[in-house]
Amino acid sequence: MLVTYLEASRDLRETDSILFGAALAVCHIIGAKVSTSGRASDQSSAIPAWRRRIEERIAKARALIGRLICYRSGNNRSTIERTVRMAFAGTNVSLSQPDITQKLTERIDDLKQRIAAWGKRIRRYTERSTRFNQNHLFQSDQKRLYESLERPMVIGTGPAPNQADTIAFWRGLWSEPVNHSEGPCTEVVASQCASITTMYPVIITLDDVAKAVSRAPNWKSPGIDGLHHHWLKGFVVCHTVLARQFQEALNQKSLLSFFKTGITHLVPKDQALQSWHAILDKNLIITSNISTMHL
């Protein structure tokens, strides 16, 4: 079916829609969960399920410790007494026996030990995951690994920059039209480039597309179509059509707008977030002055 639809595709937009429909059909057939909400706005989805379960156990254990301490201090409210009875359910401990204070202390100590053991389990799994990620990153991108070791990224600490100021700053750089004066230097560059020989015509082949797809990371952030690279690796029959249509786009010197459209997420990587805009403003002013003096 995919081959039949691809043969009737007229341009890259239709091919992208066909591939997206095929990917969606595969997800429905195998029962995979399809997210239509886009990129996650918080980091809760990045927390593994096992860690969330352990953190829920720790939270419940701490709440139970608080109830047991209140009951041991003489707070006999019905809700607290009900919770204490449930804590000793399945045991021979009765709230009316004379050594109930000792039993409460033993129960509290047992819960504290469990919390400590769960905390050690989280730290052990986190360290193992960190070592695994570092080993994988060492094989794929050593420069990025060394940068992360020298200056680890700080996430969620310190005050964030004001959203309105950030939008106003970048809108002033990218949204307002600017008339640039080319100056006499462009004529010098044009005269120097006159002797450069013309580049040979580029021919995009099936092997070019196959190699580019094989080198692409599977789960790198997709474009606005939401189609990840691993689908292009699986749908091998689309490589011939992509090579032909990319060649047509190159010959016509035109590319569809959705290939040039994306979403930019501003992710500050330093604690000094408030001084970020001031430093960038200063650098832009210095660069502008140097360019003016050069011209």
Side-chain angles (χ1 to χ4, degrees):
M1 293 177 62
L2 189 58
V3 175
T4 304
Y5 281 104
L6 288 174
E7 289 178 352
S9 175
R10 294 173 296 180
D11 54 20
L12 288 169
R13 184 182 297 276
E14 290 188 1
T15 301
D16 182 76
S17 300
I18 293 170
L19 294 177
F20 183 83
L24 191 63
V26 171
C27 290
H28 283 299
I29 291 173
I30 66 177
K33 183 178 180 181
V34 179
S35 176
T36 58
S37 58
R39 185 169 179 172
S41 58
D42 54 10
Q43 298 178 359
S44 61
S45 59
I47 301 177
W50 61 265
R51 179 166 182 171
R52 288 200 299 269
R53 289 194 296 267
I54 295 178
E55 289 178 350
E56 290 175 358
R57 295 176 190 172
I58 293 175
K60 291 180 180 179
R62 286 175 176 172
L64 182 56
I65 289 175
R67 294 294 182 91
L68 295 176
I69 292 176
C70 290
Y71 187 81
R72 188 178 60 180
S73 302
N75 190 340
N76 298 327
R77 287 188 301 173
S78 58
T79 55
I80 295 180
E81 184 176 348
R82 189 183 309 112
T83 304
V84 175
R85 291 183 183 277
M86 293 176 60
F88 288 105
T91 64
N92 297 326
V93 178
S94 175
L95 300 185
S96 58
Q97 62 187 51
D99 59 342
I100 185 61
T101 302
Q102 180 182 356
K103 297 296 183 182
L104 289 171
T105 304
E106 293 176 355
R107 182 61 174 164
I108 292 173
D109 293 339
D110 177 68
L111 291 174
K112 290 181 179 179
Q113 293 177 6
R114 292 188 179 186
I115 291 175
W118 290 331
K120 290 181 180 179
R121 184 182 300 178
I122 290 178
R123 287 193 296 270
R124 184 170 65 252
Y125 284 148
T126 302
E127 292 174 357
R128 187 178 67 177
S129 176
T130 302
R131 289 194 299 269
F132 175 82
N133 293 333
Q134 289 178 350
N135 292 336
H136 180 72
L137 192 60
F138 179 79
Q139 298 175 359
S140 59
D141 192 349
Q142 297 182 11
K143 179 181 177 181
R144 183 180 173 188
L145 171 63
Y146 294 141
E147 289 179 352
S148 65
L149 294 176
E150 293 175 358
R151 188 185 63 178
M153 184 181 295
V154 180
I155 299 177
T157 59
N162 183 270
Q163 183 178 4
D165 295 340
T166 303
I167 295 175
F169 176 82
W170 290 104
R171 181 177 289 135
L173 291 179
W174 300 109
S175 298
E176 298 178 0
V178 178
N179 295 324
H180 297 281
S181 177
E182 299 294 342
C185 62
T186 56
E187 299 178 0
V188 177
V189 175
S191 62
Q192 293 176 351
C193 296
S195 60
I196 298 177
T197 57
T198 306
M199 181 178 174
Y200 290 107
V202 177
I203 305 299
I204 301 177
T205 63
L206 173 62
D207 293 336
D208 295 332
V209 175
K211 291 179 181 179
V213 170
S214 63
R215 291 194 301 264
N218 287 338
W219 294 103
K220 188 176 181 180
S221 297
I224 59 176
D225 56 356
L227 195 67
H228 288 86
H229 291 151
H230 67 85
W231 292 110
L232 300 179
K233 296 180 181 179
F235 298 145
V236 183
V237 294
C238 73
H239 295 175
T240 304
V241 179
L242 289 176
R244 173 174 56 82
Q245 293 180 347
F246 274 120
Q247 184 67 51
E248 293 174 356
L250 183 62
N251 295 337
Q252 297 172 3
K253 299 181 181 181
S254 64
L255 197 62
L256 297 175
S257 60
F258 82 97
F259 275 98
K260 302 176 289 184
T261 305
I263 301 174
T264 301
H265 296 268
L266 300 180
V267 182
K269 297 181 174 61
D270 198 346
Q271 293 181 352
L273 301 179
Q274 295 295 342
S275 59
W276 178 49
H277 289 162
I279 295 174
L280 193 53
D281 280 333
K282 183 178 180 181
N283 291 337
L284 289 174
I285 293 174
I286 294 174
T287 305
S288 177
N289 293 335
I290 292 175
S291 303
T292 304
M293 294 172 60
H294 179 70
L295 293 175

